[in-house]
Amino acid sequence: MEAVQGIWNTSGIISMDWRNYVMIAIACVLIYLAIGRQFEPLLLLPISFGMLLVNLMPGIMAAPTDTSNGGLFYYLYQGVKLGIYPPLIFLGIGAMTDFGPLIANPKSFLLGAAAQLGIFITFIGAILLGFDVQSAGSIGIIGGADGPTAIFVTSKLKPELLGPIAVAAYSYMALVPIIQPPIMKLLTTKKERAVVMEQLRPVSKLEKILFPIIVTIVVALLLPDAVPLVGMLMLGNLFRESGVTGRLSDTAQNALCNIVTIMLGTTVGATANGEIFLRVQTLAIIAMGLLAFAFATVGGILLGKVLCAITGGKINPLIGSAGVSAVPMAARVSQTVGAKENPTNFLLMHAM
């Protein structure tokens, strides 16, 4: 009986309460969405499994003490906390991205700017609800729909909110195929969704090489705080476009990006401990994050409609939804929704 009692006392069951069981149920739903419905499984699966692990074994995120080492995810989470993973993710994204359509059609910049509407609306809303300025800024940045950016900004403004904000940002990014289509269909007409965008002019190799260099210089001079993210994004793109660093480009796009995604996703999910996560403040952050994401989508689409009218129907408003920066998920949603109205339409590169 003493042995049985010892097993029971050291089991995970004794340390769990109802909040852990709620989070386990949520994690299982997210795992189903990742595998069964294929909603961005590369992101959603590690996040949901990290959520499952931390609620089954809270000690996996435990900090070290004088008598014991910390849990595995405590050490992996330092890459999130110290802002190491986000620039590495941006390096991979830069190596994956063809900026040719953006260079050929600079008006796309405006759609990206309009989609930041969600940040400012949510920032103001959070202030009105009693959050301090740093907290409001961290919550609002979820509207940018960019996980690495949300982590980077929150680590500077309000590190104690890093867990719920990271989970919200990455969860909403992964759930883009659910969140965005209803908003896109509500705000556009069938005729607008069927607009076929013309093939853009060819962009020279020299333009593609100069683009990341010029962007880095301009950003460094005007917004030096953004250089760790934008600089790594442009470095990855330069690897891609230079034509002389194929191995580095391949590593950044595949091995490095995949490894960092695994560590980032699982550790972000592991911050969703039921005891900490199921609080009024955390749930309010999650709700406002959804609001930020929705208004960001609205902002991009509305400006897309304006540009569609100004250009005489040459711009499909659906690509405005990709201004939320959830790369490449939002661009794929733009393509999918547009193709349903017109199977010959190809919006992917314009949206990217």
Side-chain angles (χ1 to χ4, degrees), residues 17-319:
D17 63 20
W18 65 270
R19 292 168 292 191
N20 297 115
Y21 290 108
V22 170
M23 296 306 297
I24 288 169
I26 293 173
C28 289
V29 170
L30 295 178
I31 289 172
Y32 163 72
L33 291 175
I35 298 174
R37 303 295 297 276
Q38 297 186 18
F39 287 157
E40 298 306 326
L42 296 181
L43 263 180
L44 198 55
L45 191 57
I47 289 174
S48 54
F49 201 79
M51 191 181 297
L52 180 68
L53 283 174
V54 78
N55 285 284
L56 288 170
M57 184 185 174
I60 204 167
M61 281 288 284
T65 65
D66 293 337
T67 58
S68 64
N69 294 324
L72 170 64
F73 282 11
Y74 169 82
Y75 295 103
L76 293 180
Y77 186 66
Q78 299 311 302
V80 177
K81 190 174 182 179
L82 300 175
I84 297 170
Y85 295 155
L88 292 178
I89 289 286
F90 265 48
L91 179 69
I93 292 172
M96 295 178 195
T97 304
D98 177 9
F99 285 110
L102 179 64
I103 298 169
N105 183 24
K107 291 190 292 293
S108 303
F109 275 119
L110 298 175
L111 295 172
Q116 307 315 305
L117 174 69
I119 294 176
F120 299 102
I121 287 179
T122 308
F123 173 80
I124 295 169
I127 292 288
L128 294 176
L129 289 174
F131 287 90
D132 60 52
V133 173
Q134 289 78 14
S135 298
S138 300
I139 296 167
I141 202 65
I142 298 172
D146 191 282
T149 304
I151 290 172
F152 189 80
V153 171
T154 304
S155 67
K156 304 295 183 184
L157 294 180
K158 201 73 173 179
E160 54 266 42
L161 296 182
L162 194 54
I165 285 174
V167 169
Y170 273 100
S171 297
Y172 293 141
M173 282 175 64
L175 295 174
V176 160
I178 296 177
I179 298 170
Q180 283 197 321
I183 300 172
M184 296 163 73
K185 292 177 181 177
L186 178 66
L187 296 178
T188 57
T189 65
K190 184 178 179 68
K191 182 179 178 181
E192 288 173 333
R193 293 194 294 273
V195 168
V196 176
M197 294 186 67
E198 298 176 359
Q199 185 174 354
L200 299 171
R201 70 169 179 86
V203 176
S204 69
K205 182 179 177 68
L206 179 60
E207 287 178 287
K208 289 187 175 183
I209 291 174
L210 290 176
F211 179 79
I213 298 171
I214 293 171
V215 168
T216 302
I217 292 171
V218 171
V219 170
L221 293 175
L222 298 180
L223 297 166
D225 286 347
V227 169
L229 289 180
V230 177
M232 292 298 276
L233 179 74
M234 293 298 121
L235 175 60
N237 190 247
L238 193 58
F239 285 160
R240 172 194 175 95
E241 303 297 352
S242 67
V244 295
T245 52
R247 286 168 52 192
L248 298 182
S249 177
D250 180 68
T251 298
Q253 290 183 50
N254 298 293
L256 178 63
C257 200
N258 290 337
I259 290 169
V260 177
T261 297
I262 292 170
M263 293 190 290
L264 180 64
T266 50
T267 52
V268 162
T271 62
N273 185 309
E275 184 179 350
I276 299 171
F277 207 75
L278 293 179
R279 294 176 178 172
V280 173
Q281 184 192 51
T282 305
L283 296 177
I285 290 172
I286 298 295
M288 285 189 288
L290 179 58
L291 183 71
F293 199 99
F295 274 108
T297 304
V298 168
I301 292 174
L302 290 181
L303 185 60
K305 288 172 71 73
V306 172
L307 292 178
C308 180
I310 292 174
T311 59
K314 293 183 178 180
I315 291 181
N316 190 315
L318 292 178
I319 70 170

